[in-house]
Amino acid sequence: MIYAYIFINILYTMFSMKFYKAKINPISLYSIVWTAIVVLYELKLIYYYELTATTWMVLIFFQLAYNLGCIFGKKRYCSKNNISSEQIISSVNTKNERDLRITILILSVLTSISVISNLSIAIKTYGFKLLASTNQLYSARLAGDIEAGIPYLGALVYPALIYSGVYFTNFGFNKIILLPILLSVLGELKSGGRFGFVFGAFLLLIPLIFKRGRMKNKIIMKPKAKNKISQNVKIILSASIIIIVFFIVTKNRSTWITYNPYMSPLMIKLVEVSPSIYKNYSYFASPLGVLNEFLKNPTFNFGGHTFLTIYNFLNKLGADIPVNQYQTFYYVPVSCNVGTYIRELVEDFTIPLAFVVTFATGFIFSYNYSLFRKKESYVNLIWASTFAFVIFFSFYMWQLRSSSMWITLVAGTISGYILDRNSRMRLKKLKSNLW
């Protein structure tokens, strides 16, 4: 079955490249990620249980629903005859550049309020060597044994990172880009987790990927070749700050790993080289095993994942809605509690409605991605970038269960609308002056 699955995804990817006229697009992104995950699982470097026929069918039909949503999303965009061909973000204007810098700065300053609060709590408990205490910090967070800092403001770093990525693409490297990068690293140290590092690096780089191949159509000053290489090195090194800390945390979180009977002989040899290999492999492959076990006996909790942020907010206002912040563990045969976006949508809505949500996800992503490539508005960039992350990490969990995603969308939409409005007004004024 694995060969049939790979073949289907090769066809999807080839179709998507012609359909979107881009290698990385909403359909190919899903195909690449899920093919890689299924292949990793089937390698059986850990002796995972065999995927059932039900699981294979669910994988195939959920992807079909998503791809249909993507096709309709792009068709919907194409049917809009009133879309301006002007590229808002790429308009060369010193005031546009200033507005973007100010937006990044404001979002970063607001983020720093939460980061300073969280760091002071962590340092008070564990001292200044937080990287060496990631296991303790992670365990304390899961157990609720560490004091909570100022909530929600920390998530504002994510739209700041998206804007930093597009700032670099249009205006080159600026030290202001380093501010949200450093804040994303510092903000995650208290939790001992890794999600924020991955999320941050992804959102910083995805605008560059989306805008590739469009530069020749822009009225923009191109840097000299030597300077362009220097600029690219700077942004790669900047993103590497997040990636390096991610690997340090992963290495620290892997120090406890010992041999177990579920490791294949090859995995045992790899663990001898580096215990983090086991941690990373199980991180990527185990969620599919959880989905496999969940589908054997599905549970139901309406909106428990999708509406978790809303339920938590209502509970703070006095409601008494039962919520599960952390998910049920399954043995696959190793222990894991995350089971891909499919597991959570099925548990939230049952399979028929989960298909509808998956279709809508593809529609929203494809529509904003296609519209962004046409007129490059900040609002479309925010939505396309966020949903790109939702799809890229759909193998792990339904990312919209996280309040960070919703804050990114809301804060990004508001700030993006202001940036778009200012750019349109200047563009309109420029045209009137020319006439």
Side-chain angles (χ1 to χ4, degrees), residues 294 297-301 305 328 330 343 346-350:
F294 170 80
N297 186 25
T299 55
F300 179 72
N301 178 23
H305 303 287
T328 304
Y330 285 80
R343 175 256 181 110
V346 171
E347 190 169 31
D348 280 359
F349 306 115
T350 71

Side-chain angles (χ1 to χ4, degrees), residues 111-121:
T111 298
S112 67
I113 297 173
S114 175
V115 170
I116 293 171
S117 169
N118 284 322
L119 279 179
S120 62
I121 292 170

